[in-house]
């Protein structure tokens, strides 16, 4: 299923900047960055639980924001892309 993860980490402090890097690292490990703080992730339900657990351990719920949108398996009809960045198919293999 396709999951959209967005976050806003308060970076006014050194600890906030460190949290921002950790959140981004978790997201990079599981998905494709489509905007600065937005990732598309093709995850199984078990992987979603793992990612959510990892992210909740990193963020500060008093000053940061984390949103997870489950677009399900029929996501292709729900996504429209316009603009400069090239679209990709999250179901295909990603080459690093």
């Amino acid at each position: 299923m396709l999951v959209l993860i967005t976050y806003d980490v308060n970076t006014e402090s050194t600890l906030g900047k460190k949290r921002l890097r950790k959140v981004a690292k978790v997201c990079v490990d599981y998905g494709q960055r489509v905007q600065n703080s937005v990732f598309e992730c093709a995850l199984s339900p078990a992987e979603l639980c793992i990612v959510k657990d990892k992210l909740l351990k990193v963020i500060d719920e008093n000053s940061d924001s984390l949103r997870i949108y489950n677009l399900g398996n029929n996501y292709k009809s729900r996504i429209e892309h316009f603009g400069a960045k090239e679209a990709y198919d999250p179901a295909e293999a990603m080459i690093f």
Side-chain angles (χ1 to χ4, degrees):
M1 72 187 145
L2 186 68
V3 176
L4 189 70
I5 299 175
T6 68
Y7 55 87
D8 186 18
V9 176
N10 184 332
T11 57
E12 293 176 356
S13 69
T14 304
L15 289 176
K17 291 175 185 175
K18 189 174 183 179
R19 284 195 314 275
L20 177 63
R21 287 189 298 274
K22 286 182 178 181
V23 168
K25 173 71 171 106
V26 171
C27 291
V28 164
D29 287 346
Y30 288 91
Q32 173 71 37
R33 184 187 300 259
V34 292
Q35 291 186 359
N36 285 340
S37 298
V38 181
F39 285 80
E40 290 179 352
C41 307
L43 303 172
S44 68
E47 288 171 321
L48 176 57
C49 289
I50 291 168
V51 171
K52 190 185 305 184
D53 182 59
K54 286 181 179 184
L55 291 171
L56 289 174
K57 287 179 180 175
V58 173
I59 69 163
D60 178 350
E61 291 189 37
N62 295 315
S63 61
D64 303 335
S65 174
L66 174 67
R67 290 175 162 263
I68 299 174
Y69 300 89
N70 186 341
L71 299 177
N73 291 321
N74 299 318
Y75 59 87
K76 289 184 181 185
S77 63
R78 298 179 186 169
I79 299 173
E80 292 183 86
H81 176 261
F82 307 97
K85 290 192 175 182
E86 191 175 315
Y88 79 102
D89 184 354
E92 291 183 11
M94 294 189 343
I95 300 172
F96 295 97

